[in-house]
Amino acid sequence: MAIILANKIKKPGDGITTELPEDWDFNSFYYAGFGMFSAGLSVGLTNIASGVSVGIAGSSCAIADAQDASLFVKILIVEIFASALGIFGIIVGIIESNACNFPIGAAE
């Protein structure tokens, strides 16, 4: 998420001051801030859920593989589905952060 946030905030070019202009739109900047917060929160929570599900599925996979070795490939597929939750969370976070527009002078 830090890479995405660093790409959203741009440094001002030459001749641009960092003073607040008269038509400063606070609502859109609050929207951008909360949008980035919700993107980070969704990525974090889905990665926690992915880690918990991989841990639960991994422990049951180890027990089932110890009892019957022919179940290994079937259980490995369940393990892959559990770890895919984290990738879905990152994709949702990227989609959420695309709607955020920060001011140009915020980097200074």
Side-chain angles (χ1 to χ4, degrees):
M1 288 311 299
I3 296 170
I4 295 169
L5 181 60
N7 288 332
K8 292 288 180 184
I9 299 175
K10 296 179 179 26
K11 290 187 177 183
D14 293 331
I16 297 175
T17 62
T18 58
E19 296 176 3
L20 297 176
E22 293 295 325
D23 58 349
W24 188 256
D25 187 16
F26 283 105
N27 292 332
S28 67
F29 300 140
Y30 279 129
Y31 177 78
F34 283 114
M36 288 302 294
F37 175 73
S38 68
L41 191 66
S42 66
V43 168
L45 290 177
T46 54
N47 281 319
I48 288 173
S50 175
V52 169
S53 64
V54 164
I56 292 171
S59 66
S60 62
C61 290
I63 293 171
D65 187 41
Q67 290 179 357
D68 187 8
S70 66
L71 295 175
F72 179 74
V73 175
K74 295 174 185 175
I75 293 174
L76 187 64
I77 293 173
V78 172
E79 190 78 24
I80 291 170
F81 284 141
S83 64
L85 291 175
I87 296 171
F88 293 142
I90 291 173
I91 292 169
V92 168
I94 290 171
I95 291 171
E96 285 178 351
S97 69
N98 282 337
C100 304
N101 294 320
F102 285 100
I104 293 176
E108 288 292 315

